[in-house]
């Protein structure tokens, strides 16, 4: 019985001890090697007397980072990944909220963590696991224990630590196996940072399914020739990437660089996928299936999904589809009642993969997690996503936009996501984002592409009613991105203030 995440690794190491689990440019490890290293690191944590406590990981995206994650499970604790490229101010805010009992890092980065209880990965790997003490920890653990705390951006500027249990993650991972058809022969290529919830599929699918995952340097994603040739050489079969990374391949016309027909499964999530970008992928890699994944860290990534099964117009918005396995979706109006047929409401989710809330932050937890208003009979929590959705004629969920991006302008209620979808449909627009300037009462569009602001405005006049037209259009080169690789909307708001 799988009770905690390390049970998957134990099973994989027993069933496929010599199979390669993880690969990086100058190193690869088998399942048995990962297990041995993880248990050795865990012994060092156990020797510190740390149990049921937060342990931070401050390492490069690497195999060692993955081994540290497993080790924290073996030691009966929960982890938070800190990216070595994070601004120090953000790291300090996270540490002030988390108060970790220890930080696992390496000699290269230890100085930054000098005020913490530093455990060096080089020394931990030299430990020898004591089977009795690790078995004792395992006996004392429950599947409801915390597995990790991942910090996401907060509207107040203070990161929110989302708490996820082993049970919640196992529920998600079992759903991923079913939805994404993960199997032993798959080869994954990790694109997102390890502190991003989407990375969990890359990290844990190998131990669940006996497949392999590759980690490559970040600069590969800036040089499509390197990326495409890597995919060809290593016969990558599965991608779980953000749409902007898939767009980069299209915008640089990189499909002709190498044969990437080995790819059989493409899942994208984290932001809206422009239909023209998807069409190019389907045209150039027709042997794959494509899934629009929709979720959040608070729901352990999996809320809904749509497997592409028909053609779409460039101006269409892709469905987010149907509920993820073992997940229930509620769509509520402003009075917490189910929406009427054809209506739009806020998407709420319930099920075993829900987070416990925000670490050391009860107030924000109460705001986002609440009693199911449709169930007055017993305690049942739901998470309010803050996303507005509706059903289409196929019974599929359509993402309309953020509740906080719905604006009142010129007497009309407008979803900025709809304007973005139209702009993304313009052939020479590669990426775009729309914001609303409340002070000046104007819609502002930022975009990257080979079209002038005037030409884009003239084109949008053919696609949007007058009241929805962005009165200001700024051409960017490139669009600013945050650490997750998404468009940095906070930065765009700062730029607009200076105009």
């Amino acid at each position: 019985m799988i009770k905690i995440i390390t049970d998957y690794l134990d099973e994989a190491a027993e069933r496929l001890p010599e199979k390669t689990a993880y690969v990086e440019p100058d190193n690869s490890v088998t399942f048995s090697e990962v297990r041995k290293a993880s248990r050795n690191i865990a012994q060092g944590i156990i020797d510190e007397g740390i149990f049921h406590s937060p342990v931070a990981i401050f390492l490069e995206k690497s195999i060692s980072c993955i081994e540290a994650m497993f080790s924290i499970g073996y030691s009966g604790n929960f982890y938070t990944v800190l990216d070595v490229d994070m601004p120090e101010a953000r790291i300090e805010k996270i540490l002030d909220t988390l108060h970790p009992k220890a930080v696992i890092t390496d000699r290269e980065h230890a100085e930054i963590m000098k005020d913490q209880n530093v455990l060096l990965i080089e020394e931990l790997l030299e430990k020898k696991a004591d089977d009795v003490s690790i078995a004792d920890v395992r006996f004392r653990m429950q599947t409801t224990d915390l597995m990790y705390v991942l910090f996401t951006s907060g509207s107040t500027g203070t990161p929110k630590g989302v708490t996820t249990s082993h049970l919640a993650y196992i529920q998600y991972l079992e759903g991923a196996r079913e939805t994404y058809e993960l199997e032993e022969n798959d080869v994954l290529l990790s694109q997102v940072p390890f502190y991003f919830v989407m990375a969990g599929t890359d990290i844990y699918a190998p131990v669940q399914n006996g497949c392999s995952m590759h980690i490559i340097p970040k600069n590969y994603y800036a040089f499509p020739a390197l990326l495409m040739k890597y995919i060809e050489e290593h016969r990558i079969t599965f991608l779980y990437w953000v749409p902007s990374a898939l767009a980069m391949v299209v915008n640089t016309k990189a499909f002709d660089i190498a044969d990437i027909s080995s790819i059989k499964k493409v899942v994208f999530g984290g932001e809206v996928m422009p239909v023209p970008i998807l069409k190019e992928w389907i045209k150039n890699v027709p042997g794959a299936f494509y899934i629009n994944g929709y979720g959040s860290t608070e729901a352990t990534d999996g809320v809904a999904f749509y497997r592409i099964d028909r053609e779409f117009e460039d101006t269409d918005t892709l469905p987010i589809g149907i509920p993820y396995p073992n997940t229930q979706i509620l769509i509520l109006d402003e009075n917490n009642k189910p929406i009427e047929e054809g209506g739009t409401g806020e998407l709420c989710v319930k099920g075993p993969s829900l987070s416990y809330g925000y670490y050391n932050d009860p107030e924000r937890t109460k705001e986002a997690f609440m009693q199911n208003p449709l169930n007055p009979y017993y305690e049942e929590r739901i998470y309010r996503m803050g996303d507005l959705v509706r059903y289409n004629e196929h019974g599929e969920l359509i993402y309309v936009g953020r509740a906080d991006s719905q604006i009142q302008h010129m007497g009309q209620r407008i979803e900025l996501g709809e304007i973005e979808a139209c702009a993304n449909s313009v052939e020479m627009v590669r990426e775009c984002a729309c914001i609303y300037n409340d002070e000046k009462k104007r819609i502002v569009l930022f975009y990257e592409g080979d079209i002038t602001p005037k030409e884009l405005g003239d084109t949008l006049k053919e696609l949007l009613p007058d009241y929805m037209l962005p009165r200001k259009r700024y051409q960017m080169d490139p669009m600013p991105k945050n650490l997750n690789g998404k468009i940095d909307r906070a930065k765009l708001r700062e730029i607009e203030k200076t105009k």
Side-chain angles (χ1 to χ4, degrees):
M1 173 185 171
I2 299 294
K3 189 168 88 170
I4 61 175
I5 202 68
T6 52
D7 293 345
Y8 284 115
L9 177 53
D10 289 338
E11 288 189 357
E14 181 176 342
R15 186 169 66 88
L16 300 164
E18 302 307 315
K19 182 173 179 181
T20 298
Y22 304 101
V23 179
E24 54 192 13
D26 300 316
N27 186 30
S28 65
V29 288
T30 64
F31 286 109
S32 60
E33 289 170 337
V34 174
R35 183 175 186 270
K36 180 180 179 181
S38 300
R39 289 165 65 88
N40 288 347
I41 299 168
Q43 190 61 54
I45 302 171
I46 293 170
D47 291 345
E48 291 281 316
I50 302 171
F51 182 65
H52 273 177
S53 299
V55 177
I57 301 171
F58 190 59
L59 294 167
E60 298 274 1
K61 181 179 178 179
S62 61
I63 291 172
S64 292
C65 188
I66 294 173
E67 291 169 342
M69 293 179 197
F70 281 117
S71 76
I72 292 168
Y74 279 123
S75 68
N77 296 289
F78 52 94
Y79 67 80
T80 288
V81 177
L82 301 172
D83 193 282
V84 296
D85 293 325
M86 279 181 182
E88 287 193 31
R90 180 176 176 83
I91 292 173
E92 289 174 5
K93 287 180 179 178
I94 291 174
L95 293 176
D96 285 346
T97 298
L98 188 68
H99 300 298
K101 296 291 186 181
V103 177
I104 298 176
T105 187
D106 53 20
R107 293 190 177 98
E108 180 182 352
H109 300 97
E111 179 64 21
I112 299 173
M113 293 290 158
K114 60 185 177 183
D115 296 329
Q116 301 293 323
N117 176 23
V118 169
L119 303 179
L120 291 174
I121 189 77
E122 295 93 343
E123 295 177 0
L124 293 172
L125 286 166
E126 296 299 318
K127 295 279 186 177
K128 182 173 176 55
D130 177 65
D131 292 343
V132 173
S133 63
I134 291 179
D136 178 63
V137 167
R138 175 66 176 78
F139 178 76
R140 290 186 287 153
M141 290 187 70
Q142 297 176 298
T143 192
T144 50
D145 288 345
L146 280 191
M147 177 178 157
Y148 62 68
V149 179
L150 294 189
F151 282 80
T152 64
S153 60
S155 59
T156 63
T158 301
K160 297 182 294 187
V162 181
T163 55
T164 300
S165 68
H166 288 272
L167 172 63
Y169 202 85
I170 289 165
Q171 293 296 318
Y172 163 75
L173 204 57
E174 290 300 315
R177 189 205 313 253
E178 174 186 337
T179 303
Y180 307 149
E181 299 182 12
L182 290 161
E183 56 190 12
E184 191 173 312
N185 293 327
D186 275 321
V187 183
L188 288 65
L189 180 58
S190 179
Q191 179 259 320
V192 297
F194 279 174
Y195 62 83
F196 193 20
V197 70
M198 284 174 61
T201 306
D202 297 326
I203 295 165
Y204 297 110
V207 296
Q208 177 198 34
N209 302 286
C211 54
S212 302
M213 187 271 272
H214 288 242
I215 304 167
I216 59 176
K218 285 184 288 188
N219 67 344
Y220 274 56
Y221 294 96
F223 296 96
L226 290 175
L227 184 60
M228 295 294 100
K229 289 176 181 176
Y230 191 95
I231 290 173
E232 178 182 35
E233 179 182 354
H234 296 278
R235 306 297 295 165
I236 302 298
T237 68
F238 181 96
L239 305 180
Y240 188 15
W241 289 5
V242 295
S244 55
L246 296 170
M248 178 273 298
V249 176
V250 173
N251 295 332
T252 56
K253 299 179 171 57
F255 286 113
D256 295 334
I257 293 172
D259 176 7
I260 61 170
S261 60
S262 60
I263 297 173
K264 301 302 179 189
K265 305 157 190 181
V266 180
V267 183
F268 42 88
E271 56 190 359
V272 174
M273 166 63 89
V275 171
I277 298 298
L278 175 62
K279 283 184 173 180
E280 284 299 310
W281 269 87
I282 293 173
K283 173 184 168 184
N284 287 277
V285 192
F289 68 68
Y290 296 82
I291 290 178
N292 187 17
Y294 167 86
S296 73
T297 310
E298 288 87 345
T300 319
D301 200 21
V303 172
F305 71 97
Y306 170 65
R307 183 162 172 166
I308 310 301
D309 61 358
R310 61 183 184 273
E311 293 185 2
F312 292 87
E313 297 297 325
D314 287 355
T315 55
D316 288 340
T317 298
L318 292 176
I320 59 173
I322 61 176
Y324 198 77
N326 208 14
T327 298
Q328 184 176 345
I329 285 173
L330 311 175
I331 306 177
L332 304 178
D333 64 18
E334 56 195 18
N335 297 314
N336 285 331
K337 302 295 184 183
I339 60 167
E340 297 180 0
E341 186 174 351
T344 296
E346 182 179 4
L347 190 154
C348 302
V349 59
K350 71 183 187 76
S353 62
L354 276 195
S355 163
Y356 290 141
Y358 302 117
Y359 193 81
N360 198 15
D361 197 342
E363 291 304 314
R364 284 202 281 193
T365 298
K366 289 178 183 177
E367 291 174 5
F369 296 85
M370 59 177 287
Q371 170 65 22
N372 180 1
L374 307 184
N375 176 12
Y377 307 107
Y378 56 89
E379 185 175 352
E380 183 181 50
R381 295 165 72 248
I382 64 171
Y383 169 60
R384 303 190 72 106
M385 296 279 295
D387 288 342
L388 299 175
V389 297
R390 61 177 174 81
Y391 285 107
N392 65 12
E393 66 274 19
H394 302 284
E396 301 156 342
L397 285 166
I398 296 288
Y399 172 80
V400 177
R402 288 290 300 173
D404 55 12
S405 73
Q406 186 180 76
I407 62 170
Q408 187 84 19
H409 179 65
M410 296 176 65
Q412 302 284 341
R413 294 180 70 84
I414 299 169
E415 288 299 331
L416 297 180
E418 186 177 351
I419 301 172
E420 291 175 355
C422 287
N424 273 319
S425 72
V426 177
E427 183 177 357
M428 289 178 286
V429 172
R430 290 191 285 274
E431 285 187 290
C432 75
C434 209
I435 65 170
Y436 188 64
N437 188 322
D438 285 301
E439 182 180 348
K440 297 180 179 179
K441 301 299 180 185
R442 68 186 185 193
I443 300 169
V444 183
L445 180 69
F446 293 84
Y447 72 97
E448 181 181 340
D450 302 317
I451 184 172
T452 68
K454 183 182 184 306
E455 291 170 338
L456 180 55
D458 290 341
T459 303
L460 290 176
K461 287 178 182 177
E462 303 297 321
L463 301 172
L464 293 167
D466 184 75
Y467 68 86
M468 291 182 67
L469 287 173
R471 298 306 171 186
K472 287 292 182 179
R473 299 166 300 281
Y474 297 117
Q475 188 173 17
M476 310 295 290
D477 185 21
M479 290 286 282
K481 301 291 177 64
N482 61 25
L483 291 172
N484 289 343
K486 297 181 182 180
I487 294 171
D488 191 339
R489 293 174 187 270
K491 181 67 174 178
L492 296 181
R493 292 187 182 93
E494 291 176 12
I495 294 172
E496 165 63 0
K497 287 180 182 178
T498 66
K499 300 294 185 179

